[in-house]
Every structure is written in C-alpha cells, then in structure tokens.
Amino acid sequence: GRSHAGAEAAAGSDEPAVVEAMRRTQTRIEALTRENQDLAQRLQKHERETTRLRACLQRAASEQDALNNDRARRAEETQGLRRQLDEARGRLSSVVASVSASQDSSAEAVRGYEQLLQEQRERIRGLESRAQAVGEDRVRLEAQVEGLSSAVLALLNTRNELAQWIADALQALLKMFQIPAGPEERPHYAQ
C-alpha cells in the first residue's frame, strides 16, 4: 500500500510535466499541421506553376518548331531567290554584252553612214561644180551660137546682095553687049 501511494505521489508530482509535454506535443502537432497545410498549398501552387510552365514550354516548343519550319522555308526561298538572282545576273550580263556588241555595230554603221554621207556631199559638190561649169559653157556656147547666127545672117544678106548685084551687072552687060540679029548690024567693036 505504501508503494502504491508512493507511485500515486510520484504520478501526481509528474502530472504537470506530462501535461506540459502533451501541450508542447499538441502545439508541435498543430505547428506541423499548419506547416503541412502550408506545404500542401505551396505544393499545389508549385504544381499549378509547373503545369503552367509545362504549357508554356509546350507552346514554346510549338513556336520553336514553327520558327524552325519557317526558317527552313525562308532558307529554301532564299536559295531559290539566290538562284533566280544568279540567273538574272547571267541574263543581265548576256544582255549587257549583246547591247555592247549592238552599240559597237551601231557605231560602226553610223561611221559608215557618215562616211557615205560625206562621199555623197563631195559628189554633190562635184556635180554642182560640173553643173556650174556646164552652165558657164552653155552660156558661152549660146553666145557663140548667137554670134555665129548673126554672122550667118550677115553672110546671107551679103550673099543675097552680091547675087542681086551680079544679076544686075549681068543684065547691064547683056544690055550693053546685046548682039544684033544679022552680022552686018554688029557694032564695029563686036567684030
């Protein structure tokens, strides 16, 4: 009985410590519960953030794929444009060479035409000179013809006058030396 009483006394003396320990345990449990709830909220928040980040990452991956596809398409277009540019440069070089050759031939043709025109001008000047000389010769010949015509007319007039004088002289001689019908009637100077 004494030992039981001692135990009760000991238990009675330890009861405040147990209560304090239980209180501290309860406080710790509550603190841990709050921490657990806080951790759960933070975990949910982290999960939501992780989900959002995963969605962003998927969108970024999709956008990156689209960018890669667009980059590849643009690279192909750029290569095509470069090929077209090279072809255009080649055609342009051919056109420039053709134009240069055409210009050279055109310049040669122009020089030929200019030389031909110069020759034609010289021929025209020569013909004009000849025409002028021919005109002068024609005027001179016309003057000579006119002079010859005048001389011929003078000669014709002179011939006509001479013929008339000869006719008159013959008629006068015939009258002067008229022979009579019989020989006895001839003048003395006629015998």
Side-chain angles (χ1 to χ4, degrees):
R2 192 170 51 188
S3 60
H4 181 70
E8 289 181 353
S13 62
D14 292 336
E15 184 176 355
V18 171
V19 172
E20 181 64 21
M22 290 180 64
R23 188 183 63 80
R24 286 198 301 271
T25 302
Q26 184 65 32
T27 302
R28 180 63 178 164
I29 289 172
E30 291 176 355
L32 291 173
T33 300
R34 287 194 298 272
E35 290 178 359
N36 190 17
Q37 291 176 352
D38 188 28
L39 288 175
Q41 291 177 355
R42 283 189 289 178
L43 180 60
Q44 290 177 356
K45 184 178 179 181
H46 288 164
E47 288 178 352
R48 289 195 298 272
E49 184 68 18
T50 300
T51 301
R52 187 183 68 81
L53 291 175
R54 285 177 180 173
C56 290
L57 183 61
Q58 289 178 355
R59 285 196 300 272
S62 299
E63 291 177 356
Q64 185 65 37
D65 292 338
L67 288 175
N68 290 333
N69 293 331
D70 186 67
R71 187 179 292 112
R73 182 177 57 82
R74 290 181 182 274
E76 292 178 356
E77 291 178 354
T78 302
Q79 290 179 356
L81 290 175
R82 285 178 178 173
R83 287 194 298 270
Q84 293 178 2
L85 180 60
D86 293 336
E87 293 175 357
R89 285 177 178 172
R91 290 195 296 270
L92 180 60
S93 298
S94 299
V95 170
V96 168
S98 177
V99 168
S100 178
S102 178
Q103 288 178 349
D104 293 338
S105 61
S106 298
E108 185 67 23
V110 167
R111 287 193 293 271
Y113 289 141
E114 289 178 349
Q115 184 177 358
L116 181 60
L117 288 175
Q118 184 64 28
E119 293 176 356
Q120 293 297 327
R121 290 192 188 98
E122 293 177 356
R123 289 179 182 176
I124 289 171
R125 283 195 293 269
L127 291 174
E128 289 176 349
S129 299
R130 292 179 184 176
Q132 185 177 0
V134 168
E136 294 175 354
D137 292 339
R138 183 177 62 81
V139 171
R140 187 168 55 252
L141 289 174
E142 287 178 353
Q144 292 177 358
V145 168
E146 186 177 358
L148 290 174
S149 297
S150 299
V152 168
L153 288 175
L155 288 174
L156 289 175
N157 291 329
T158 302
R159 184 181 66 81
N160 291 331
E161 292 175 356
L162 181 60
Q164 186 64 39
W165 182 81
I166 291 172
D168 293 341
L170 288 175
Q171 187 175 2
L173 289 173
L174 287 175
K175 286 181 180 181
M176 184 181 297
F177 297 103
Q178 186 175 6
I179 301 173
E184 63 276 12
E185 295 181 357
R186 290 182 182 176
H188 179 70
Y189 59 83
Q191 297 177 358

